[in-house]
Amino acid sequence: MIISGKDIAAQLRSDMQQQVDAMREMYGRAPSLVVIQVGDDPASTIYVRNKMRAAEFCHIQSRQILLPSSITESDLCKQIEELNRDNNVDGILVQLPLPEHIDEEHILRAIRAEKDVDGFHPDNAAYLWLHQPLVKKHVASIYNPVPDYGCTIPCTPKGILSLLASTGVELDGKRAVMVGRSDIVGKPMAKLLMDRQCTVTLAHSHTSDLPAVCREADILIVAVGKPKLISADCIKPGAIVIDVGINRLPDGTLSGDVDFEACKDIAAHITPVPGGVGPMTVTMLMQNTIDCFRRRMAK
Ligand code: NDP
């Protein structure tokens, strides 16, 4: 069965529209998001445009700040500081990658953790790793895929939990294999699955016999960036397969990290590329903006 991230994202965005309208009624303004783009990298321009469109659809106030690629790190920090102090800004996102002369880690730390809608600030990452919410009491659904950690959870793993919830499969006790150990996908995903009582293996470029490791997975999530790395011999029959990879092929089409055609009849549930994880990532950015607003208003 194909998991349509596109359809689930559309459902969630309609629900967010209503949440945002109710918030505007209650607090006199809607949640607001500022996206900073440095330079004019074409891929970043597309990502930023998608984020702006999603915000508009959800009735979230959004603003884009376009800065020249020649900007200094200290001027970029000053811009972020101004937004940190602005009470009418709830979420700040700096589109990555940044030009080489700017230290990304430094910039991500400059955003106040409570306005960090990507969940990349070290305080948010630490909170996720050190905190153990009451998962037993949490009933996961596409609308509410993670228990309240009291911090911002990175968008892609949060969106994947929503996709997993859409299958109705109980995660408790399952074998999960996460291929890829990046800070934005693999590592936070592994922690979230561990908290959902999965037995988790985190595979990477040094993992020996990757197909054998993958074949153990009831839940296989792949975030590598190599087209069709995962072939039919990597899939346990009946597994859930989530493909995070986005790879542009020489003919201009997009491919995931999973050979979709070869794997779709072996897996019980599988995400396509495009139309799987991608729309959920942007949708969870909207949810994170709403959640940052809600937490700030509750203070
Ligand atoms: P990174 O490049 O940061 O990490 C890639 C990971 O894959 C690393 O951990 C690396 O291992 C591992 N890896 C590389 N080669 C192999 C291999 N042959 N076998 C097993 N593991 C391997 O990538 P990201 O996590 O940022 O992104 C991964 C993919 O997901 C990209 O295509 C990206 O575009 C896409 N993406 C999509 C999103 C969406 O919303 N759909 C969101 C974020 C990313 P090691 O650590 O050993 O180097």
Side-chain angles (χ1 to χ4, degrees), residues 45-166:
T45 302
I46 293 171
Y47 291 137
V48 170
R49 193 170 58 213
N50 287 343
K51 288 166 187 174
M52 292 291 127
R53 280 188 186 150
E56 192 185 343
F57 182 88
C58 296
H59 299 174
I60 289 173
Q61 272 179 45
S62 63
R63 178 155 58 100
Q64 180 186 356
I65 299 179
L66 186 57
L67 299 169
S69 56
S70 57
I71 191 168
T72 62
E73 190 172 305
S74 101
D75 282 348
L76 180 54
C77 284
K78 274 184 208 150
Q79 176 72 71
I80 291 170
E81 196 40 51
E82 211 174 286
L83 297 168
N84 279 340
R85 280 195 303 264
D86 187 338
N87 253 337
N88 290 321
V89 172
D90 306 296
I92 305 168
L93 181 149
V94 177
Q95 184 64 43
L96 301 179
L98 290 169
E100 275 189 359
H101 66 277
I102 299 178
D103 180 352
E104 279 184 6
E105 213 180 302
H106 187 198
I107 295 304
L108 296 179
R109 276 172 193 269
I111 300 170
R112 241 161 77 180
E114 66 175 60
K115 297 191 179 190
D116 162 38
V117 278
D118 261 336
F120 297 163
H121 190 285
D123 285 0
N124 281 320
Y127 214 89
L128 169 62
W129 279 94
L130 301 175
H131 202 64
Q132 197 77 38
L134 292 169
V135 279
K136 276 190 191 149
K137 290 194 177 160
H138 175 250
V139 181
S141 69
I142 61 163
Y143 295 101
N144 189 16
V146 286
D148 186 10
Y149 280 79
C151 67
T152 300
I153 305 295
C155 303
T156 303
K158 191 171 174 174
I160 291 171
L161 281 180
S162 183
L163 294 176
L164 292 175
S166 77

Side-chain angles (χ1 to χ4, degrees), residues 3 218 220-222 230 235 239-243 258 267 269-271:
I3 307 173
D218 302 307
L220 176 64
I221 304 176
V222 191
I230 302 298
I235 311 294
I240 303 178
V241 179
I242 306 284
D243 189 354
V258 175
H269 304 269
I270 187 166
T271 57

Side-chain angles (χ1 to χ4, degrees), residues 156 179-182 184-185 204-206 210 223-226 229 244-247 257 277-278 281:
T156 303
V179 188
R181 54 177 164 180
S182 68
I184 62 170
V185 187
H204 44 77
S205 67
H206 294 251
L210 183 67
V224 170
K226 297 216 160 116
L229 172 75
V244 183
I246 305 176
N247 307 288
D257 290 343
V277 175
T281 296

